[in-house]
């Protein structure tokens, strides 16, 4: 997550969009501070007008619970929207957090380029007509942009980055998927002698399903790759998958992009869990990895979205891109509500589990990547590669 220094309320308000990835509207945001730096920000939608009070308070209480569990040094509450919608929810959140013993530095409402403080009544610094927010080219915005942070105009713009292809592009990917299926048949028949040959998804429309809550998946997030591959067909898929994953990584790391045929082939191979896990344990914190898996999610056949979307969600979560991780999880669960990796990440997001819980990935402390006391094939390969690199130093 981008670390931004804040000196004034206007600095803080300018920084929030870069922390959550877009400019919030009709939202309630809690910004946690550590010293002069923002530690993290969490956001929920404001309740819709006319929603029963008990229903309106439920997400506010959940947000308060998650913030309290993080035990921040201090917090600032910011409501975005008209006073009639912001004030009831913000004051309820404030009372709940204060009762939990958290230090509330200030509380603001932001709308139409101005902000008001709920705690300051001094007209010399908090006039009744509000205080102008910093312009888009403020120092904080400049620092955030220079550091590589992006603030899109809205959440819908963030969702658009993962929207499936349409029109001619989707037709072209459908044709590439047919070629990938033919190639898979050749691979499994043993007729394909060279898995490195140039990579040559029929279009389907998946029925959207409601996103399940984290509680429906796991009490706590579980990060554990599948068992090592068994059988000739799965071993062939894993060999081809390793090549395809490494080629994709190299292409995006060097600023390139996969062709339609390569995307279709990789998407098909990722349906084999050992291949997905091979990509999973190789995942890191680089921006090009977000670009890679975002591109795959958009272009792959909609029925094959769960694997790349889950990989993207995991990387986005680890790099502090919570909203992007949430949208990626949505894409995965819309296609397959039972997809375990997406469910685990969904739980991590729902419970506000910090990414530090998997520090040292792919072998985080307390999370051994084993099944039945045995390392998976991908993990064993990772250890072999790491040992080989160490021996060459």
């Amino acid at each position: 997550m981008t670390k931004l220094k804040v000196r004034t309320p206007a600095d803080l308000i300018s920084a929030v969009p870069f922390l959550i990835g877009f400019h919030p509207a009709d939202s309630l945001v809690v910004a946690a501070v550590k010293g002069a730096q923002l530690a993290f920000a969490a956001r929920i939608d404001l309740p819709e007008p006319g929603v029963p009070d008990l229903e309106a308070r439920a997400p506010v209480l959940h947000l308060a619970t998650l913030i309290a569990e993080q035990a921040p040094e201090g917090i600032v509450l910011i409501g975005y929207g008209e006073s009639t919608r912001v004030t009831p929810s913000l004051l309820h959140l404030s009372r709940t957090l204060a009762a939990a013993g958290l230090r509330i530095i200030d509380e603001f409402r932001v709308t139409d380029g101005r902000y008001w403080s709920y705690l300051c009544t001094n007209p010399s610094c908090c006039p009744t007509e509000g205080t102008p927010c910093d312009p888009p080219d403020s120092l904080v915005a400049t620092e955030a942009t220079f550091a590589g942070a992006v603030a899109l105009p809205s959440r819908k713009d963030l969702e658009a980055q993962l929207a499936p292809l349409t029109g001619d592009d989707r037709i072209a990917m459908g044709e590439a998927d047919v070629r990938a299926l033919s190639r898979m048949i050749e691979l499994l028949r043993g007729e394909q002698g060279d898995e490195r040959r140039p990579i040559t998804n029929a279009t389907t429309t998946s029925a959207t399903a409601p996103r399940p809550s984290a509680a429906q998946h796991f009490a706590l997030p579980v990060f554990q790759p599948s068992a090592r591959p068994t059988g000739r067909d799965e071993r062939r898929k894993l060999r081809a998958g390793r090549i395809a994953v490494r080629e994709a990584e190299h292409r995006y790391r060097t600023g390139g992009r996969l062709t339609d045929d390569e995307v279709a082939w990789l998407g098909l191979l990722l349906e084999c869990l050992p291949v997905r896990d091979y990509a999973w344990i190789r995942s890191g914190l680089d921006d090009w990895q977000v670009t890679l898996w975002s591109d795959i999610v958009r272009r792959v056949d909609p029925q094959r979205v769960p694997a790349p979307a889950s990989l993207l969600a995991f990387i986005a979560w680890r790099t502090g891109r919570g909203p992007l991780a949430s949208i990626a999880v949505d894409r995965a669960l819309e296609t397959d509500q039972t997809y375990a990796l997406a469910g685990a990440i969904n739980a991590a997001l729902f419970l506000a589990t910090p990414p530090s819980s998997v520090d040292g990935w792919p072998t985080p402390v307390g999370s051994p990547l084993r099944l039945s006391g045995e390392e998976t094939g991908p993990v064993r390969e990772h250890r072999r590669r790491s040992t080989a690199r160490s021996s060459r130093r």
Side-chain angles (χ1 to χ4, degrees):
M1 179 182 294
T2 303
K3 298 294 185 182
L4 298 174
K5 291 185 177 180
V6 294
R7 307 164 186 83
T8 66
D11 283 348
L12 174 63
I13 292 167
S14 293
V16 164
F18 293 96
L19 292 178
I20 65 176
F22 58 91
H23 290 269
D26 297 327
S27 302
L28 199 56
V29 172
V30 178
V33 298
K34 182 177 182 180
Q37 288 187 329
L38 286 173
F40 66 88
R43 186 204 72 93
I44 60 172
D45 291 329
L46 288 174
E48 293 295 331
V51 169
D53 187 60
L54 188 61
E55 183 179 340
R57 291 189 174 198
V60 174
L61 179 60
H62 176 65
L63 176 62
T65 301
L66 297 182
I67 297 299
E69 289 175 350
Q70 303 301 318
E73 290 182 5
I75 55 175
V76 178
L77 312 185
I78 309 173
Y80 293 81
E82 296 301 322
S83 178
T84 54
R85 293 188 62 191
V86 168
T87 301
S89 293
L90 188 142
L91 293 183
H92 176 54
L93 178 62
S94 175
R95 288 192 295 267
T96 305
L97 291 171
L102 272 67
R103 182 171 72 93
I104 299 176
I105 299 171
D106 213 330
E107 302 167 2
F108 299 104
R109 182 176 68 86
V110 178
T111 189
D112 295 332
R114 306 181 80 84
Y115 68 87
W116 291 260
S117 172
Y118 285 89
L119 302 184
C120 179
T121 58
N122 186 348
S124 64
C125 61
C126 298
T128 56
E129 69 273 16
T131 304
C133 300
D134 277 352
D137 58 350
S138 67
L139 178 60
V140 169
T142 301
E143 290 175 345
T145 302
F146 182 76
V150 175
L152 297 174
S154 68
R155 180 182 169 90
K156 288 188 179 298
D157 291 280
L158 191 59
E159 292 173 347
Q161 292 189 340
L162 299 185
L165 297 178
T166 58
D168 291 343
D169 291 333
R170 173 49 60 199
I171 293 172
M173 279 305 306
E175 294 169 349
D177 194 60
V178 172
R179 293 191 290 271
L181 289 169
S182 296
R183 184 179 181 190
M184 180 62 72
I185 292 172
E186 293 178 7
L187 175 68
L188 299 183
R189 285 176 176 171
E191 297 172 2
Q192 184 174 315
D194 183 6
E195 291 156 357
R196 293 180 179 274
R197 75 172 188 175
I199 299 174
T200 59
N201 215 342
T203 304
T204 58
T205 303
S206 61
T208 58
R211 176 178 175 177
S213 68
Q216 292 175 307
H217 280 287
F218 303 93
L220 289 173
V222 176
F223 300 98
Q224 190 175 59
S226 59
R228 66 179 178 178
T230 58
R232 183 187 63 183
D233 288 352
E234 199 168 41
R235 289 195 297 270
R236 285 176 173 172
K237 289 180 184 178
L238 180 55
R239 284 195 297 270
R242 286 172 172 170
I243 295 169
V245 168
R246 292 196 297 267
E247 174 58 29
E249 291 173 344
H250 173 74
R251 193 75 57 81
Y252 286 79
R253 186 170 52 243
T254 56
R257 187 170 184 256
L258 293 181
T259 65
D260 290 350
D261 285 328
E262 290 169 330
V263 168
W265 181 237
L266 178 59
L268 187 57
L269 289 167
L270 286 170
E271 290 191 316
C272 175
L273 291 184
V275 174
R276 184 209 65 188
D277 290 344
Y278 180 74
W280 185 20
I281 66 168
R282 293 171 63 89
S283 64
L285 307 177
D286 300 302
D287 288 341
W288 62 262
Q289 296 193 23
V290 174
T291 302
L292 161 60
W293 296 114
S294 296
D295 193 32
I296 302 302
V297 168
R298 286 206 69 208
R299 297 167 64 194
V300 77
D301 184 279
Q303 293 295 337
R304 300 198 175 98
V305 161
S310 297
L311 293 170
L312 172 61
F314 182 71
I315 296 167
W317 169 64
R318 290 192 65 205
T319 55
R321 297 171 169 93
L324 179 61
S326 178
I327 293 168
V329 163
D330 283 341
R331 288 295 315 277
L333 295 178
E334 283 169 2
T335 302
D336 184 353
Q337 295 185 56
T338 65
Y339 200 76
L341 180 55
I345 301 167
N346 187 28
L349 295 170
F350 184 84
L351 298 169
T353 305
S356 59
S357 63
V358 290
D359 279 353
W361 180 260
T363 52
V365 175
S367 299
L369 304 182
R370 296 174 180 268
L371 285 177
S372 303
E374 190 170 45
E375 285 184 342
T376 66
V379 172
R380 191 168 50 254
E381 168 70 7
H382 172 80
R383 292 190 187 281
R384 185 192 65 75
R385 290 165 57 89
S386 297
T387 302
R389 284 196 298 268
S390 297
S391 65
R392 290 196 294 267
R393 290 182 184 144

